[in-house]
Amino acid sequence: MPGPIDDEVLAANRAFYAAFEALDMGAMSDVWEHSDRVACVHPGWGRLTGWGAISASFFALFQNGQHLQFILTNERVDVTGDTAWVSCDENILSEQVGGTVAALNLFARDGRTWRMVVHHGSSVLPQHEG
């Protein structure tokens, strides 16, 4: 049964998607840990490491002006100590594209705040969806 810590992690995860939908670089920056250990894989991209490279990727994505809506399904949160991960399906809607991305988001607790340290998104081919 989910508890208060699970709810905190889910809130951090949802803040990531809210920042993405709003194209809000400040909010995205608040979600992530600013260190060299962070990693991000956008669907179809290679792995980015370090907050500098990751923030530059979101800055570039936000500049293209494509508004995405994320409908999250199959959310599952697991917590072990100061580490948590959320697996979910990102059902993406926009004027230009749509589809499903299987995502794994890893968080580390920084005091009382959960910060994203890894985001990995992999496009799901239509014949393999849910």
Side-chain angles (χ1 to χ4, degrees):
M1 181 162 193
I5 292 178
D6 293 354
D7 291 343
E8 291 172 11
V9 174
L10 284 172
N13 193 62
R14 290 175 183 152
F16 167 72
Y17 292 103
F20 210 138
E21 285 183 351
L23 307 176
D24 185 336
M25 198 62 213
M28 185 62 73
S29 179
D30 289 345
V31 170
W32 281 86
E33 178 180 287
H34 294 195
S35 73
D36 291 336
R37 74 176 181 162
V38 297
C40 180
V41 178
H42 299 293
W45 293 38
R47 179 175 48 99
L48 302 169
T49 56
W51 172 241
I54 293 168
S55 64
S57 75
F58 281 106
F59 183 80
L61 288 169
F62 292 175
Q63 294 308 302
N64 78 18
Q66 182 177 349
H67 292 277
L68 303 177
Q69 179 183 6
F70 293 89
I71 299 170
L72 303 181
T73 56
N74 300 319
E75 287 179 290
R76 178 182 168 155
V77 62
D78 290 283
V79 180
T80 301
D82 289 334
T83 304
W85 56 98
V86 178
S87 58
C88 62
D89 292 329
E90 305 171 353
N91 301 285
I92 302 171
L93 303 174
S94 81
E95 291 181 6
Q96 293 85 11
V97 297
T100 300
V101 171
L104 182 62
N105 299 320
L106 180 64
F107 296 86
R109 189 169 16 209
D110 176 18
R112 292 188 43 112
T113 304
W114 290 97
R115 301 273 182 220
M116 184 172 277
V117 292
V118 175
H119 167 71
H120 186 275
S122 180
S123 296
V124 177
L125 299 175
Q127 67 265 28
H128 295 288
E129 288 182 357

